[in-house]
């Protein structure tokens, strides 16, 4: 119960998203990348980061342009004829001791302004994985390191308790028929019974921790991560001369 309580409270809340450590992915129509900049306030840092994206994509080379971020869109303006299609997918800020702000932007930029940007989202949800059946593995995969270690440690402790208690129970039982003292015999019987109860308690604990691990691995959120595209499922009725029913369509 203690291990499960600790695991339940060990959520990584308020943690920085993993993508700020560096992320780049090239899709068919666009690039997804991370930039960071320091400014005297949030807006200044955000606009500086956006300028880095424009320059990195070689869209502003040799041109006098102004870059601003408004409502998640990167706006480029100037006297030159320049077109760009970019959007901010996610943003993270750090406030420095100097009073300045460091802003991290996860930006999606179209390879060509006429291209349609792919569907990219930031989510704390993770798809179902067979990792849930191995204690702690799903939690580690989601970035919840403390929870994962607690589940692993709790399961190891419970299994170890089962083994030790069963060995001691077997040892006491083997001594029952090896003594002619009624008092010692009864003591061995009592000790064997106690060890059996302890063993059963550890079995129940191991089962509870494992069940909690599976449930948590399925439903718990994790660190925010990048999700490119999403599967869509739809049902639609159909009627034909031969039959009628409901059709299932899944788009990936």
């Amino acid at each position: 119960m203690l291990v499960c309580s600790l695991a339940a409270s060990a959520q990584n809340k308020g943690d920085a998203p993993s993508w700020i450590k560096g992320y780049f992915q090239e899709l068919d129509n666009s690039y997804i990348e991370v930039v960071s900049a320091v400014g005297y306030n949030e807006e200044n840092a955000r606009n500086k980061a956006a300028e880095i994206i424009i320059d990195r994509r070689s869209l502003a080379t040799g041109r006098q342009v102004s870059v601003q971020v408004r409502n998640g869109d990167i706006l480029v303006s100037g006297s030159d004829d320049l077109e760009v299609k970019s959007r901010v997918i996610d943003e993270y800020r750090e406030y420095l001791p100097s009073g300045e702000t460091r802003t991290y932007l996860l930006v999606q930029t179209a390879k060509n302004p006429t291209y349609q940007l792919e569907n990219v989202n930031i989510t704390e949800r993770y798809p179902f994985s067979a990792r849930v059946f191995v204690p702690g593995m799903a939690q580690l995969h989601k970035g919840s390191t403390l929870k994962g270690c607690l589940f692993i440690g709790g399961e190891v402790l419970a299994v170890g308790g089962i083994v030790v208690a069963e060995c001691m129970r077997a040892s006491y039982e083997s001594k029952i028929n090896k003594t002619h003292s009624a008092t010692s015999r009864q003591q061995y019987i009592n000790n064997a019974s106690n060890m059996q109860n302890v063993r059963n308690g550890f079995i129940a604990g191991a089962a509870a921790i494992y069940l909690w691990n599976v449930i948590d691995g399925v439903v718990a959120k994790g660190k925010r991560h990048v999700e490119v595209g999403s599967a869509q499922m739809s049902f639609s009725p159909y009627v034909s001369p031969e039959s009628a029913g409901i059709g299932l369509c899944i788009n990936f």
Side-chain angles (χ1 to χ4, degrees), residues 55-171:
D55 184 66
R56 187 179 292 178
R57 295 275 68 84
S58 299
L59 295 174
T61 302
R63 300 179 181 180
Q64 299 296 320
V65 296
S66 174
V67 180
Q68 289 185 333
V69 179
R70 292 181 185 174
N71 299 323
D73 293 324
I74 297 177
L75 307 178
V76 180
S77 60
S79 57
D80 292 325
D81 184 14
L82 178 66
E83 293 184 9
V84 62
K85 181 187 288 185
S86 293
R87 71 183 183 98
V88 177
I89 301 172
D90 198 14
E91 179 177 350
Y92 181 77
R93 292 184 297 274
E94 291 179 347
Y95 299 99
L96 306 179
S98 61
E100 295 178 305
T101 301
R102 178 181 292 277
T103 294
Y104 298 86
L105 297 181
L106 181 67
V107 178
Q108 182 181 18
T109 305
K111 295 179 180 179
N112 186 299
T114 61
Y115 290 174
Q116 185 69 29
L117 294 175
E118 292 91 349
N119 183 26
V120 180
N121 299 298
I122 297 295
T123 179
E124 296 176 337
R125 295 291 183 183
Y126 287 72
F128 176 81
S129 169
R131 293 182 180 91
V132 301
F133 300 113
V134 181
M137 291 300 102
Q139 289 76 18
L140 293 176
H141 175 65
K142 294 180 179 182
S144 302
T145 305
L146 178 57
K147 276 204 301 181
C149 292
L150 285 172
F151 276 119
I152 294 172
E155 200 66 36
V156 169
L157 178 64
V159 172
I162 294 171
V163 173
V164 172
E166 175 60 22
C167 289
M168 294 182 68
R169 184 200 65 79
S171 176

Side-chain angles (χ1 to χ4, degrees), residues 203-248:
I203 291 174
I209 294 173
Y210 184 79
L211 180 61
W212 186 280
N213 163 80
V214 172
I215 296 174
D216 182 86
V218 173
V219 304
K221 297 179 181 179
K223 279 191 174 184
R224 289 184 294 167
H225 66 286
V226 182
E227 182 181 68
V228 179
S230 59
Q232 297 180 347
M233 180 181 299
S234 62
F235 294 89
S236 58
Y238 70 90
V239 177
S240 67
E242 294 80 17
S243 63
I246 297 177
L248 170 63

Side-chain angles (χ1 to χ4, degrees), residues 5 24 53 135 152 173 191 225-226 249-250:
S5 299
F24 180 85
I53 282 291
I152 294 172
E173 281 197 348
N191 289 343
H225 66 286
V226 182
C249 179
I250 302 178

Side-chain angles (χ1 to χ4, degrees), residues 23-37:
Y23 184 93
F24 180 85
Q25 184 172 0
E26 180 177 357
L27 305 179
D28 291 338
N29 298 341
S30 62
Y31 301 98
I32 304 172
E33 55 193 322
V34 176
V35 293
S36 67

